[in-house]
Amino acid sequence: MPIISPHSYYRLATVPGEVASNGYAVLPAELLAVEQSVARYDPSAAVDLNKSLCRNLLADFTFTSAGAYWVLPQKFYFLYEQQLQRIGSLLTDKPDSYFTFENDSFRKDLAILCHRLIPCGAEFATPFSGIARSLLFKAGLRQAAKFSQAIARCRGIKPFLELHMHPDFTSGFNPEGWIETYENLADFLVANPSFLGVQSTSWFLDPALAEISPHLSYLRQVPELCGATILYAGEDDCNHSGAFLTSQTRRDLYASGCYLPRIFTRIWPRELLTQRSWRSLSVIS
């Protein structure tokens, strides 16, 4: 059986210069190969290595290691502490099946500890992402014009904060939690003027939800009213779509052929987001 020490495994996971440069899910190829090799012979040994990696990243976590890349507003220290406590509890609360690189939630936890994901409230942000140019060709000339206008307002296609949902942390996923998240994002952009804005791609930005799941309509409505451009990005992967995780209604509508999950990209320029126009909206409930 391949043998590697927890220390060597940790070194493979913490390659210098990799802070937030390749997205949250990217892990060093050698690390992935070692995990697969160990798991092939002894799955429990691979779990032990991943748990040890998580413990060591927690023990060595510092805010200063990302200080050369961005400034953290004060509220973000609390948001990080909240996540450090949650991740620490995973080591005793989660089954062994959680601790594998095939589990996206575990990759997200590692990304938080390695400064690849920044906790912002309802969701987490990958720094230094860019806008996909393919959006220009997804839905005809009207969308192409909207895309061009949005990029002109942003003054470029990168760097952006790109938002991601963590399925194991959804306490802020409600209207009030999202308003707080927008406030946090505005604070971050004010403190870090090199970022051009915020972007994200999700099934819950689909305008069809206004009829299918009206309680979620605020997720698209508030950003749009406050200056975000929302563009069609394609059909969702129905085998893995988040649209089906918590809603029997959406599952039933899909099964009957009345609903097909689609994903949309939100582009929110820093200049418009930092105006905090949501404070004057009456649609928030």
Side-chain angles (χ1 to χ4, degrees):
M1 182 186 78
I3 297 175
I4 186 171
S5 70
H7 176 70
S8 297
Y9 196 71
Y10 175 83
R11 290 183 62 187
L12 290 178
T14 54
V15 178
E18 288 295 304
V19 173
S21 61
N22 292 312
Y24 80 83
V26 176
L27 293 169
E30 189 174 356
L31 177 71
L32 293 170
V34 168
E35 188 215 35
Q36 292 173 3
S37 180
V38 172
R40 192 177 303 119
Y41 289 91
D42 186 352
S44 65
V47 169
D48 289 342
L49 282 171
N50 284 334
K51 285 186 175 182
S52 175
L53 173 61
C54 193
R55 285 193 200 93
N56 289 332
L57 288 171
L58 273 168
D60 292 346
F61 182 88
T62 65
F63 293 105
T64 56
S65 56
Y69 298 90
W70 54 78
V71 175
L72 282 179
Q74 190 61 39
K75 174 66 180 297
F76 283 76
Y77 290 90
F78 165 77
L79 296 172
Y80 263 109
E81 289 296 342
Q82 190 178 41
Q83 293 306 312
L84 297 180
Q85 292 179 19
R86 179 188 63 81
I87 294 171
S89 69
L90 298 177
L91 295 166
T92 54
D93 294 346
K94 289 290 187 182
D96 285 354
S97 58
Y98 186 87
F99 300 94
T100 170
F101 295 151
E102 294 181 0
N103 178 14
D104 183 65
S105 291
F106 182 57
R107 286 206 187 204
K108 284 175 176 168
D109 293 332
L110 296 180
I112 293 166
L113 297 176
C114 294
H115 297 287
R116 291 174 179 263
L117 275 181
I118 302 171
C120 298
E123 291 195 323
F124 298 75
T126 301
F128 307 124
S129 78
I131 303 296
R133 290 186 177 91
S134 61
L135 291 168
L136 185 65
F137 310 104
K138 290 286 187 178
L141 293 177
R142 184 177 180 184
Q143 171 149 315
K146 289 177 65 178
F147 174 87
S148 299
Q149 291 166 2
I151 298 307
R153 282 197 296 266
C154 295
R155 299 186 176 90
I157 63 169
K158 66 183 306 183
F160 280 77
L161 296 177
E162 180 177 358
L163 298 183
H164 300 273
M165 182 181 181
H166 194 313
D168 282 67
F169 186 77
T170 58
S171 61
F173 211 95
N174 52 64
E176 297 76 16
W178 268 103
I179 292 300
E180 184 176 352
T181 301
Y182 300 148
E183 292 284 349
N184 294 336
L185 291 169
D187 289 344
F188 189 95
L189 292 176
V190 168
N192 297 273
S194 63
F195 287 92
L196 302 180
V198 172
Q199 66 124 331
S200 64
T201 299
S202 178
W203 62 270
F204 59 67
L205 297 172
D206 186 348
L209 294 183
E211 182 176 345
I212 295 171
S213 301
H215 63 289
L216 297 179
S217 60
Y218 73 93
L219 290 164
R220 178 182 176 115
Q221 187 177 23
V222 173
E224 270 195 315
L225 289 172
C226 297
T229 297
I230 299 181
L231 304 171
Y232 174 71
E235 293 184 3
D236 204 356
D237 179 354
C238 294
N239 293 320
H240 302 94
S241 176
F244 301 136
L245 289 178
T246 61
S247 174
Q248 186 63 46
T249 297
R250 291 191 290 273
R251 289 193 290 269
D252 291 344
L253 287 171
Y254 172 72
S256 67
C258 296
Y259 169 58
L260 178 66
R262 300 180 300 165
I263 54 176
F264 286 75
T265 295
R266 167 179 50 187
I267 303 172
W268 204 343
R270 61 170 289 112
E271 181 180 355
L272 297 177
L273 195 154
T274 54
Q275 290 177 8
R276 307 176 198 254
S277 302
W278 53 81
R279 293 179 177 178
S280 61
L281 294 181
S282 59
V283 299
I284 303 168
S285 60

